[in-house]
């Protein structure tokens, strides 16, 4: 039916509407009711509303007023041939679908009808004869009820009598129990069944209170005497140390049931418990902790108001046990042993926490364990620093004596092993601290990683400061005084400083990379602590620190050696009176002293620093080393015969100095034998030059200096690879003597060669005799 606006109502689902129509036609129901709201009734189709549009014949194909002829006429008029064919195909498909749906509907309802029919047949069969059975059952129930009433009536008097006799029997049993109670109590005392004795007496106590002064006076008296004995036995058991805690707790409970005042016993028992804990505080066995746990549980049951005291005892117990472990940390103990002790304490604290959670023992254990692991890590780094220091100090103590061949090299290798292997061993030790899967270690894992990284940063910084103290470049701290008892800072051996320099290089190039790699692989993560200035371990900063310290130690070693040799040269050089010096006969003693000291430097450097780095000789490439000062001088040595020509040579030397190419004498010191030896030698020759400038020479004194420098020129070739700077400095010493000479006439070359050869022969003979 159309709406007021003229729009048609929403159509029902086509398939559902057709199915309903089929059912309506099959069951012969009202077609208008079957159509419902989805289809128009015949009346509505026959009588259209004056406001609604008339229904089209094409839309009334499913209604009862359908007229086939009208439908066909309208269809032919309104549709062309193609539309008719499409309508035909569509109608044929609809007819086929309707036939199929109708067939399926008939099949489904047919099965249901058959099942309903069978059910009705079975019901009819079963109901037949049921009414007779029900009447028979009713008669039997009525008969049973009448017989039951007859029995109850006949036995009523006897039942009353039986109940009366039963009550009398129970009363007699109670009376008999009261009379037998003293005997029962004595038997319980003999068998130590004190719980049964208390149960018997407390059961009879109401009767004694009611009739104890009359009928049961003797029984009451005998029972009370027996119970006095029971109380004495319970008190003895309570104070007996040999009795288990369960038996003592049971004794207190029984005394409470007897209304015995046990509050005055609480202080004594708690004192006994405290003594027991003192005896067990050094034991960590599970049995001991089990006994303590049971003891606390029993005391909480016996004395509920003693919880505060028990908490104090439990906290004191674990405080003492943790202090024992802390005392062991003062000496170096393996991480596995420490973890075993801490794990045992953690498990014990968890067991006690189940009984007394108010004591907060797990939190206390976690905090204490945290402090102990931090102390253990710090102690391990201190021990490693002490071991490294001991190895270096031992080298110092032996260096005062004559060193055997390769002794310093072995000491250097030992120190390197102490540093590198010591760090690796520490990392392996610390790995046990984070490798466990226990609850305790999982809570502290990130913190331990931070401690290890921070510990290495602090360790390398402290070790660097300790190296500076050992070298005498800085003062020792109070905590380091014990490690330096055998070292006199003002008398630090030079070899120790050189070892420190090389050890710094080894730490920078080898140890730090190894530690960094191991930390990255096994100790990554952390972050439990917040760092204001960046990560806890910064390898780049440590490398820069040791690179700088190594250079300082190397320069310090060179300065110490140079100062020592310079002092000896100054003392030897200022002793003779050069203005009155006699004609030279042999090389001066200070030359032998210089070569001896240089041999000592070579011996030390050779065993500690890496081998020589050979370079191309610079005698032809670094400038005119055989400068114009020396050529005229050699010619004058052959031709000059008077002072005037010597003075002219002096002027020529200064003139040649103006045109001579500038030579780089002092270069950067490297960690090689060649670099250190040549630097020490250059500084010594430079000092010798200054000593010469402070003296005044006669002709013989100048000739002595000439002889010494020529001998050094040939002798120093074995110490250095680059001879040019050494030759230049030797000439500078010779020129300084020439400047300070009153009559600078040099020795003739034949005489000079003769004296040098004689010295060389003498040295060779001494070496043969020493062998």
């Amino acid at each position: 039916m159309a709406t007021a606006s003229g729009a048609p109502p929403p159509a029902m689902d086509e398939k559902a509407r057709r199915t309903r129509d089929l059912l309506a036609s099959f069951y012969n129901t009202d077609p208008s009711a079957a159509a419902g709201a989805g289809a128009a009734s015949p009346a509505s189709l026959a009588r259209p509303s004056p406001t609604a549009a008339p229904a089209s014949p094409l839309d009334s194909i499913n209604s009862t007023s359908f007229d086939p002829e009208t439908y066909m006429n309208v269809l032919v008029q309104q549709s062309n041939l193609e539309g008719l064919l499409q309508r035909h195909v569509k109608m044929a498909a609809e007819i086929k679908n309707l036939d199929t749906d109708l067939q399926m509907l008939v099949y489904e309802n047919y099965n249901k009808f058959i099942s309903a029919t069978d059910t009705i047949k079975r019901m009819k069969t079963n109901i037949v004869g049921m009414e007779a059975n029900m009447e028979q059952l009713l008669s039997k129930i009525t008969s049973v009820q009448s017989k039951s009433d007859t029995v109850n009536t006949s036995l009523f008097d006897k039942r009353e009598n039986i109940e009366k006799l039963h009550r009398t029997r129970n009363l007699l049993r109670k009376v008999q129990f009261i009379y037998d109670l003293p005997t029962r109590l004595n038997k319980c005392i003999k068998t130590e069944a004190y719980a049964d004795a208390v149960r018997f007496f407390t059961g009879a106590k109401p009767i004694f209170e009611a009739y104890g002064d009359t009928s049961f006076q003797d029984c009451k008296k005998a029972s009370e005497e027996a119970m006095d004995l029971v109380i004495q036995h319970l008190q003895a058991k309570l104070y007996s140390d040999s009795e288990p805690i369960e038996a003592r707790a049971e004794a207190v409970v029984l005394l409470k049931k007897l209304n015995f005042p046990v509050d005055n016993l609480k202080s004594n028992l708690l004192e006994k418990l405290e003594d027991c804990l003192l005896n067990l505080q050094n034991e960590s066995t599970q049995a001991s902790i089990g006994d303590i746990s049971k003891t606390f549980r029993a005391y909480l049951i016996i004395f509920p108001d003693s919880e505060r005291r028990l908490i104090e005892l439990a906290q004191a117990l674990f405080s003492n046990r943790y202090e024992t472990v802390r005392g062991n940390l003062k000496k170096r103990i393996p991480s596995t042993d420490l973890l075993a002790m801490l794990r045992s304490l953690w498990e014990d604290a968890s067991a006690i926490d189940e009984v007394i959670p108010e004591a907060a023992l797990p939190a206390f254990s976690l905090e204490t364990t945290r402090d102990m692991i931090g102390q253990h890590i710090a102690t391990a780094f201190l021990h490693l620093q002490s071991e490294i220091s001991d190895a270096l100090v031992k080298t110092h103590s032996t260096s005062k004596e004559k060193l055997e061949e390769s002794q310093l090299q072995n000491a250097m290798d030992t120190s390197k092993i102490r540093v590198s292997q010591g760090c690796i061993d520490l990392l392996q030790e610390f790995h046990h601290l984070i490798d466990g899967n226990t609850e305790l270690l999982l809570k502290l894992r990130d913190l331990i990683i931070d401690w290890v990284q921070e510990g290495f940063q602090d360790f390398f910084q402290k070790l660097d400061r300790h190296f500076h103290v050992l070298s005498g470049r800085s003062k020792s701290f109070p905590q380091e005084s014990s490690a330096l008892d055998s070292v006199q800072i003002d008398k630090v051996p030079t070899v120790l400083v050189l070892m420190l320099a090389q050890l710094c290089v080894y730490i920078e190039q080898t140890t730090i990379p190894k530690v960094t790699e191991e930390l990255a692989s096994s100790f990554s993560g952390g972050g439990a602590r917040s760092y204001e200035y960046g990560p806890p371990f910064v390898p780049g900063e440590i490398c820069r620190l040791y690179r700088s310290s190594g250079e300082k130690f190397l320069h310090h070693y060179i300065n110490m050696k140079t100062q020592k040799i310079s002092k000896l040269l100054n003392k030897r050089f200022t002793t003779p009176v050069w203005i009155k010096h006699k004609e030279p006969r042999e090389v001066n003693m200070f030359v032998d002293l210089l070569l001896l000291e240089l041999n000592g430097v070579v011996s030390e450097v050779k065993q500690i620093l890496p081998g020589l780095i050979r370079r191309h000789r610079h005698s032809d490439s670094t400038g005119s080393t055989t400068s114009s000062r020396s050529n005229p001088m050699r010619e004058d040595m052959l031709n000059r015969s008077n002072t005037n020509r010597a003075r002219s040579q002096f002027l020529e030397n200064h003139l040649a100095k103006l045109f001579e190419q500038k030579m780089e004498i002092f270069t950067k010191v490297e960690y090689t034998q060649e670099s250190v030896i040549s630097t020490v030698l250059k500084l010594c020759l430079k000092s010798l030059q200054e000593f010469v400038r402070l003296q005044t020479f006669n002709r013989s004194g100048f000739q002595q200096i000439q002889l010494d420098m020529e001998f050094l020129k040939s002798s120093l070739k074995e110490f250095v690879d680059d001879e040019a700077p050494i030759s230049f400095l030797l000439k500078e010493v010779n020129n300084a003597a020439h400047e300070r000479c009153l009559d600078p006439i040099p020795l003739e070359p034949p005489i000079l060669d003769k004296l040098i050869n004689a010295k060389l022969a003498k040295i060779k003979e001494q070496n043969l005799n020493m062998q």
Side-chain angles (χ1 to χ4, degrees):
M1 182 175 184
T3 60
S5 61
M12 183 183 296
D13 180 75
E14 184 70 19
K15 186 175 181 180
R17 184 165 55 81
R18 290 179 179 180
T19 302
R20 185 172 56 188
D21 292 344
L22 288 173
L23 288 173
S25 63
F26 183 80
Y27 289 108
N28 294 323
T29 59
D30 186 8
S32 61
S41 63
S44 63
L45 291 174
R47 297 186 302 272
S49 174
T51 58
S56 174
L58 297 178
D59 297 334
S60 62
I61 191 169
N62 293 324
S63 65
T64 56
S65 61
F66 173 70
D67 186 3
E69 293 182 1
T70 304
Y71 178 84
M72 288 300 301
N73 293 331
V74 173
L75 185 63
V76 169
Q77 292 176 1
Q78 296 180 357
S79 303
N80 54 15
L81 181 59
E82 184 179 357
L84 291 175
L85 291 175
Q86 292 178 356
R87 190 76 171 184
H88 169 72
V89 173
K90 181 179 180 182
M91 187 173 293
E94 290 178 353
I95 292 171
K96 186 175 181 180
N97 291 335
L98 289 174
D99 291 340
T100 303
D101 294 341
L102 182 60
Q103 186 179 6
M104 293 300 298
L105 182 64
V106 171
Y107 286 161
E108 291 178 359
N109 285 285
Y110 181 74
N111 292 332
K112 294 179 182 178
F113 291 154
I114 292 175
S115 177
T117 303
D118 294 341
T119 303
I120 293 172
K121 288 180 180 180
R122 286 196 301 271
M123 289 179 63
K124 288 181 179 181
T125 303
N126 294 334
I127 291 174
V128 175
M130 183 178 292
E131 185 175 356
N133 292 335
M134 293 299 293
E135 292 177 355
Q136 185 179 0
L137 178 62
L138 179 60
S139 64
K140 289 183 180 180
I141 291 175
T142 304
S143 175
V144 170
Q145 184 178 1
S146 63
K147 289 180 180 181
S148 177
D149 294 339
T150 302
V151 171
N152 289 334
T153 303
S154 62
L155 295 179
F156 179 75
D157 296 334
K158 293 181 180 179
R159 185 183 295 113
E160 289 289 333
N161 190 21
I162 289 172
E163 290 178 356
K164 184 177 180 181
L165 292 175
H166 181 69
R167 287 193 297 269
T168 304
R169 181 173 177 272
N170 289 338
L171 182 59
L172 291 175
R173 282 184 176 179
K174 292 180 181 179
V175 172
Q176 184 65 36
F177 176 80
I178 296 300
Y179 281 110
D180 292 341
L181 183 59
T183 304
R184 288 175 180 268
L185 294 178
N186 290 327
K187 288 182 178 179
C188 291
I189 293 173
K190 290 180 181 179
T191 58
E192 296 184 356
Y194 303 118
D196 293 337
V198 173
R199 180 167 56 84
F200 295 154
F201 183 76
T202 54
K205 191 174 182 180
I207 299 176
F208 286 147
E209 291 178 353
Y211 307 102
D213 296 334
T214 57
S215 304
F216 304 111
Q217 185 175 5
D218 294 337
C219 292
K220 178 182 178 182
K221 183 178 180 181
S223 299
E224 288 178 347
E225 291 177 354
M227 291 310 298
D228 290 339
L229 188 59
V230 169
I231 291 174
Q232 292 179 6
H233 284 290
L234 290 176
Q235 287 180 330
K237 180 179 290 190
L238 185 62
Y239 288 108
S240 176
D241 295 333
S242 60
E243 292 290 337
I245 189 61
E246 292 86 352
R248 296 164 68 182
E250 183 184 12
V252 175
V253 173
L254 295 177
L255 289 174
K256 282 186 174 182
K257 289 182 179 180
L258 295 175
N259 295 327
F260 186 84
V262 295
D263 291 339
N264 57 348
L265 303 176
K266 181 171 65 174
S267 59
N268 296 332
L269 291 176
L270 290 176
E271 290 178 0
K272 285 183 172 291
L273 175 61
E274 186 174 359
D275 295 338
C276 177
L277 294 180
L278 289 175
N279 294 331
L280 294 175
Q281 69 180 6
N282 293 326
E283 300 179 8
S284 59
T285 61
Q286 191 66 28
S288 299
I289 291 299
D291 293 341
I292 294 174
S293 178
K294 292 178 181 178
T295 302
F296 284 166
R297 192 183 302 275
Y299 272 67
L300 286 175
I301 297 174
I302 299 170
F303 308 112
D305 57 344
S306 64
E307 182 179 6
R308 182 182 298 275
R309 179 60 177 161
L310 292 176
I311 291 174
E312 293 176 356
L313 291 176
Q315 292 176 346
L317 170 65
F318 280 90
S319 296
N320 293 333
R321 292 184 63 186
Y322 274 111
E323 285 301 321
T324 302
V325 178
R326 196 184 299 275
N328 293 331
L329 289 179
K330 295 179 180 179
K331 56 185 179 180
R332 180 72 182 277
I333 61 174
S335 298
T336 52
D337 295 347
L338 176 63
L339 285 180
M341 292 185 286
L342 294 178
R343 188 181 297 111
S344 175
L345 287 172
W346 173 260
E347 293 174 354
D348 296 346
S350 300
I352 299 297
D353 183 67
E354 295 178 359
V355 182
I356 315 177
E358 292 79 6
L361 291 179
F364 171 77
S365 298
L366 181 63
E367 184 67 22
T368 309
T369 300
R370 174 182 177 275
D371 296 340
M372 287 188 176
I373 292 180
Q375 181 181 351
H376 171 70
I377 293 175
T379 303
F381 282 114
L382 287 177
H383 277 281
L384 178 58
Q385 179 179 335
S386 178
E387 291 175 359
I388 297 172
S389 177
D390 291 342
L392 294 172
V393 170
K394 186 180 296 184
T395 303
H396 154 68
S397 61
T398 57
S399 64
K400 294 180 180 179
E401 303 172 359
K402 186 177 180 180
L403 293 172
E404 298 178 358
E405 187 66 24
S406 73
Q407 183 176 356
L408 281 179
Q409 184 178 358
N410 294 335
M412 189 72 243
D413 294 340
T414 302
S415 300
K416 291 180 179 179
I417 293 174
R418 289 288 179 89
V419 175
S420 183
Q421 191 60 39
C423 291
I424 299 301
D425 293 342
L426 273 189
L427 287 170
Q428 293 176 354
E429 279 285 317
F430 296 154
H431 194 271
H432 294 294
L433 299 176
I434 62 173
D435 197 27
N437 55 358
T438 60
E439 179 184 3
L440 181 64
L441 295 181
L442 292 177
K443 291 182 177 180
L444 298 176
R445 187 179 188 278
D446 291 341
L447 193 59
I448 292 173
I449 291 175
D450 289 342
W451 277 336
V452 172
Q453 294 185 5
E454 184 181 2
F456 272 104
Q457 181 82 5
D458 187 60
F459 163 72
F460 284 117
Q461 290 176 349
K462 288 184 177 179
L463 186 64
D464 176 72
R465 291 196 297 267
H466 189 70
F467 283 175
H468 282 275
V469 173
L470 288 176
S471 67
R473 300 188 74 252
S474 62
K475 296 182 180 180
S476 63
F477 298 97
Q479 60 269 25
E480 296 179 342
S481 59
S482 59
L484 302 174
D485 290 339
S486 58
V487 179
Q488 297 180 2
I489 299 302
D490 56 343
K491 298 182 180 179
V492 176
T494 55
V495 64
L496 179 59
V497 178
L498 184 60
M499 289 180 65
L500 292 175
Q502 183 62 18
L503 195 57
C504 287
V505 176
Y506 178 79
I507 292 175
E508 176 202 353
Q509 298 179 354
T510 304
T511 305
I512 300 298
K514 285 184 179 179
V515 172
T516 304
E517 181 180 359
E518 188 66 24
L519 287 176
S521 61
S522 302
F523 292 88
S524 59
R529 306 177 67 185
S530 58
Y531 293 92
E532 182 178 358
Y533 301 104
F537 181 70
V538 185
E541 179 182 342
I542 300 299
C543 288
R544 288 191 297 271
L545 177 66
Y546 277 87
R547 186 182 308 118
S548 174
S549 296
E551 293 175 356
K552 292 177 182 178
F553 291 142
L554 191 62
H555 285 91
H556 188 47
Y557 170 78
I558 294 173
N559 292 335
M560 292 175 68
K561 279 295 183 182
T562 303
Q563 290 176 6
K564 179 182 177 182
I565 297 175
S566 297
K567 289 180 181 180
L568 295 176
L569 290 178
N570 187 25
K571 183 177 180 181
R572 294 290 184 180
F573 197 80
T574 56
T575 300
V577 181
W578 294 96
I579 195 66
K580 299 179 180 180
H581 201 277
K582 296 180 180 180
E583 184 179 353
R585 298 295 182 183
E586 61 178 356
V587 177
N588 201 330
M589 188 180 297
F590 80 87
V591 175
D592 296 333
L593 182 61
L594 176 60
L595 294 176
L596 180 63
E597 292 295 330
L598 287 177
N599 283 324
V601 174
V602 171
S603 177
E604 294 176 356
V605 172
K606 183 179 179 181
Q607 299 182 62
I608 296 177
L609 296 180
L612 294 173
I613 299 179
R614 294 294 179 184
R615 304 182 181 86
H616 297 291
R617 294 187 178 273
H618 304 294
S619 56
D620 297 329
S621 60
T622 57
S624 178
T625 56
T626 57
S627 63
S628 59
R629 296 180 300 174
S630 59
N631 292 336
M633 183 181 294
R634 179 59 58 91
E635 294 174 0
D636 291 341
M637 290 171 60
L638 297 175
N639 304 321
R640 187 175 48 187
S641 59
N642 52 40
T643 305
N644 291 331
R645 296 193 63 180
R647 289 175 180 175
S648 65
Q649 177 64 30
F650 174 72
L651 295 175
E652 291 177 6
N653 287 339
H654 278 279
L655 185 62
K657 206 171 187 181
L658 296 176
F659 296 97
E660 188 178 60
Q661 181 178 347
K662 183 66 176 178
M663 176 179 293
E664 186 179 7
I665 302 299
F666 296 99
T667 58
K668 182 180 178 181
V669 182
E670 300 176 359
Y671 292 93
T672 60
Q673 300 174 15
E674 161 73 14
S675 180
V676 173
I677 294 172
S678 62
T679 303
V680 172
L681 183 55
K682 292 172 186 177
L683 291 174
C684 291
L685 293 178
K686 197 67 177 177
S687 298
L688 183 60
Q689 179 184 356
E690 297 301 324
F691 297 153
V692 170
R693 287 178 177 175
L694 297 177
Q695 303 294 328
T696 303
F697 301 90
N698 60 0
R699 179 189 299 180
S700 298
F702 168 69
Q703 293 175 351
Q704 181 68 54
I705 297 298
Q706 180 191 5
L707 173 62
D708 297 338
M709 294 305 103
E710 285 296 326
F711 178 76
L712 284 175
K713 185 176 181 180
S714 60
S715 300
L716 295 179
K717 291 180 180 180
E718 62 182 71
F719 294 105
V720 293
D721 185 41
D722 189 3
E723 302 176 9
I726 304 302
S727 299
F728 177 79
L729 290 174
L730 290 174
K731 284 194 300 181
E732 287 294 312
V733 175
N734 201 18
N735 291 337
H738 187 278
E739 294 174 0
R740 299 294 299 174
C741 181
L742 300 177
D743 186 17
I745 301 205
L747 283 173
E748 295 181 0
I751 300 176
L752 192 63
D753 294 339
K754 180 180 179 181
L755 294 175
I756 292 175
N757 292 332
K759 180 64 176 180
L760 292 175
K762 183 178 180 181
I763 293 175
K764 184 177 181 180
E765 182 180 357
Q766 291 176 353
N767 293 334
L768 291 175
N769 294 332
M770 291 177 62
Q771 294 178 356

